[in-house]
Amino acid sequence: MIKKLMLAVATLVASMGFAFAQVDVNKADAAALDSVKGVGPAMSKAIIDERSKAGPFKDWADFQKRVKGVADKRAAQLSKAGLQVDGKSKDGAPMTATAAAKADAKADAAAKPAKAGAKPADAKAKPEAAKPAA
């Protein structure tokens, strides 16, 4: 029973990692493109066909011009869902949580000074030990 529970937890954790994966339109195959919310089989085929015909997409403007049905609003939604063009998210689209952002948050938390009421470690020492020997 415990093994089944552990397997279920491990599967859940692994699938959560895939939900936040960034997918670059210039490198991804059809399955990877389909994994992005808002990109279906028809759009992934159109992306791959256009990429094969005219080469990699230069930026989001180039992507929007060459792939039919992707205007600013849809591009922002796709970017929010994890789609990238040449390794970059669409300007103005909120980024999804990434490991780098989480690491930055941890570093910021570690760099914060101690609480104002906290005492230094030496203050906990016994007063007798702090007195000079006579």
Side-chain angles (χ1 to χ4, degrees), residues 1-11:
M1 178 69 181
I2 292 176
K3 288 182 181 181
K4 289 181 181 180
L5 181 62
M6 295 293 284
L7 179 62
V9 170
T11 304

Side-chain angles (χ1 to χ4, degrees), residues 11-73:
T11 304
L12 178 65
V13 170
S15 66
M16 287 174 59
F18 292 125
F20 294 112
Q22 301 294 317
V23 178
D24 193 320
V25 296
N26 289 326
K27 299 174 186 171
D29 60 358
L33 290 169
D34 284 343
S35 72
V36 176
K37 183 179 177 184
V39 177
M43 182 179 273
S44 62
K45 182 179 181 330
I47 291 170
I48 292 172
D49 289 347
E50 185 60 36
R51 188 176 66 195
S52 305
K53 183 173 71 172
F57 299 98
K58 296 177 184 104
D59 54 18
W60 276 95
D62 183 39
F63 176 74
Q64 289 177 251
K65 186 172 83 173
R66 291 168 50 190
V67 179
K68 185 177 179 181
V70 181
D72 285 337
K73 186 177 178 182

